[in-house]
């Protein structure tokens, strides 16, 4: 990004509440190909690159699910600008000094999700050494919302996300400063919030993606949806049930970027091909 608009840089990490910390950590390392970077009595920190973590698993005695979405800002001074903007909206903001993320602020969005904006993710200095295949990026998160347009107003007007595309009355794809087609997706009709639909991990190439897929097959781990191609981002991949359920993880490649400053979002029809362009016609004999 070359202009000075206020916009988060990327999805920084996702924090999840789980009932069985050991089982969850085992799934995320064995199947999502993440490495444990830190472990405490009640939390496991997992990374895919040199960032200290992309996923944080917290033990809970309550309901498992999404604890927090965190986005990295473009520069440290942006946190002050966000504090002012959120205060003007009457939104309570709390400061948080992260152990590995530097200065951060937290607040709630219109659906009750806890959102964090932070300035600096701690860097480990070396790439992961233990997983077989290292993901390239923590790409995006998809969450259920009760009011699509109200949620879009908050993330667009207040937080500065940009609309990339939408599926009419169902889904809005929002991008951040790193220009990937979407870092956050707002979904209506996906269940009652708070509910994390899925997280996406982006891989380097088709060989890495196929190795990860084959690992599921070799270990008898089922897919939620097998190979497909999205019409919006152009990405190709598959989905698998994660811990905690009912969330899934999308494993993908070829997720496009939007570099045109004059990009005009498309309004996709709620049709058969809205999620997968490889589907056959509804009636091959018509």
């Amino acid at each position: 990004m070359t202009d000075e608009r206020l916009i988060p840089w990327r999805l920084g990490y996702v924090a999840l509440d789980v009932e069985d910390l050991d089982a969850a950590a085992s799934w995320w390392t064995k199947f999502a190909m993440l490495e444990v970077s830190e472990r405490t009595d009640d939390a496991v920190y997992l990374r895919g690159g040199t960032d200290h973590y992309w996923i944080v698993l917290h033990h809970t005695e309550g309901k498992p699910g999404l604890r927090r979405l965190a986005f990295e800002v473009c520069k440290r001074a942006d946190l002050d600008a966000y504090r002012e903007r959120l205060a003007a909206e009457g939104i309570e903001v709390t400061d948080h000094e992260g152990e590995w993320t530097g200065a951060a602020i937290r607040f709630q969005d219109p659906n009750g999700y806890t959102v964090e904006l932070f300035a600096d993710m701690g860097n480990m200095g070396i790439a992961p050494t233990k997983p077989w295949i290292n993901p390239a990026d923590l790409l995006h998160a998809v969450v259920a919302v009760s009011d699509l347009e109200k949620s879009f107003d908050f993330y667009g007007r207040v937080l500065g996300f940009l609309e990339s595309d939408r599926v009419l009355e169902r889904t809005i794809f929002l991008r951040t400063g790193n220009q990937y087609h979407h870092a956050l997706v707002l979904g209506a009709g996906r269940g009652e919030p708070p509910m994390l639909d899925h997280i996406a991990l982006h891989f380097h190439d088709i060989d890495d993606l196929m190795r990860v897929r084959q690992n599921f097959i070799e270990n008898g781990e089922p897919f939620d949806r097998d190979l497909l191609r999205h019409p919006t981002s152009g990405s190709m991949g598959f989905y698998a049930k994660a811990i905690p359920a009912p969330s899934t993880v999308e494993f993908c490649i070829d997720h496009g970027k939007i570099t045109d400053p004059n990009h005009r979002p498309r309004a996709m029809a709620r049709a058969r091909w809205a999620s997968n362009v490889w589907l056959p016609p509804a009636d091959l004999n018509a």
Side-chain angles (χ1 to χ4, degrees), residues 8-14 51 53-54 68-76 78-79 82 96-98 100-107 115-122 138:
W9 174 248
R10 61 167 179 162
L11 175 63
Y13 73 88
V14 178
D51 291 334
Y53 54 88
W54 288 351
R68 183 169 58 255
L69 291 172
F71 298 89
E72 186 172 8
V73 298
C74 293
K75 55 184 184 294
R76 296 183 185 96
D78 286 352
L79 290 179
Y82 274 117
H96 177 74
E97 288 296 328
W100 295 285
T101 59
I105 59 174
R106 291 179 181 175
F107 49 90
V115 179
E116 176 179 300
L117 300 177
F118 68 86
D120 300 286
M121 172 57 75
L138 173 64

Side-chain angles (χ1 to χ4, degrees), residues 37-255:
S37 57
E38 199 89 25
R39 182 161 187 157
T40 66
D41 289 341
D42 58 1
V44 176
Y45 298 82
L46 299 155
R47 69 181 182 131
T50 59
D51 291 334
H52 188 275
Y53 54 88
W54 288 351
I55 303 293
V56 188
L57 304 173
H58 294 274
H59 176 257
T60 182
E61 298 292 343
K63 183 179 179 181
L66 177 62
R67 174 179 286 213
R68 183 169 58 255
L69 291 172
F71 298 89
E72 186 172 8
V73 298
C74 293
K75 55 184 184 294
R76 296 183 185 96
D78 286 352
L79 290 179
D80 292 330
Y82 274 117
R83 282 190 191 93
E84 294 178 7
R85 186 174 287 189
L86 290 161
E89 296 290 324
I91 297 170
E92 182 180 356
V93 176
T94 59
D95 290 315
H96 177 74
E97 288 296 328
E99 295 179 64
W100 295 285
T101 59
I105 59 174
R106 291 179 181 175
F107 49 90
Q108 287 199 328
D109 81 350
N111 293 281
Y113 294 108
T114 298
V115 179
E116 176 179 300
L117 300 177
F118 68 86
D120 300 286
M121 172 57 75
N123 193 285
M124 300 288 283
I126 61 170
T129 56
K130 187 174 181 180
W132 179 38
I133 304 297
N134 297 149
D137 302 284
L138 173 64
L139 195 58
H140 63 253
V142 180
V143 295
V145 300
S146 55
D147 188 319
L148 192 59
E149 292 304 325
K150 183 178 180 180
S151 299
F152 174 53
D153 176 72
F154 176 78
Y155 282 98
R157 181 180 59 82
V158 180
L159 297 188
F161 287 73
L162 298 175
E163 181 182 352
S164 296
D165 289 308
R166 67 172 60 200
V167 177
L168 290 171
E169 301 178 350
R170 297 288 290 183
T171 309
I172 300 179
F173 300 87
L174 300 173
R175 69 186 184 278
T176 54
N178 68 5
Q179 299 180 325
Y180 276 118
H181 183 275
H182 49 279
L184 178 66
V185 181
L186 308 174
R190 293 175 182 258
E192 290 297 319
M195 197 276 281
L196 175 68
D197 185 271
H198 72 264
I199 298 166
L201 296 175
H202 197 225
F203 287 81
H204 292 281
D205 54 39
I206 192 168
D207 287 324
D208 279 359
L209 181 67
M210 291 298 101
R211 290 180 182 115
V212 174
R213 180 176 176 273
Q214 192 65 33
N215 186 50
F216 277 82
I217 295 171
E218 292 287 312
N219 286 280
E221 187 76 2
F223 301 125
D224 183 64
R225 286 185 286 170
D226 204 357
L227 293 171
L228 54 79
R229 173 83 74 181
H230 289 311
T232 48
S233 65
S235 65
M236 178 181 76
F238 67 92
Y239 293 73
K241 290 294 184 186
I243 297 176
S247 300
T248 61
V249 174
E250 176 185 0
F251 301 85
C252 68
I253 58 171
D254 298 343
H255 189 101

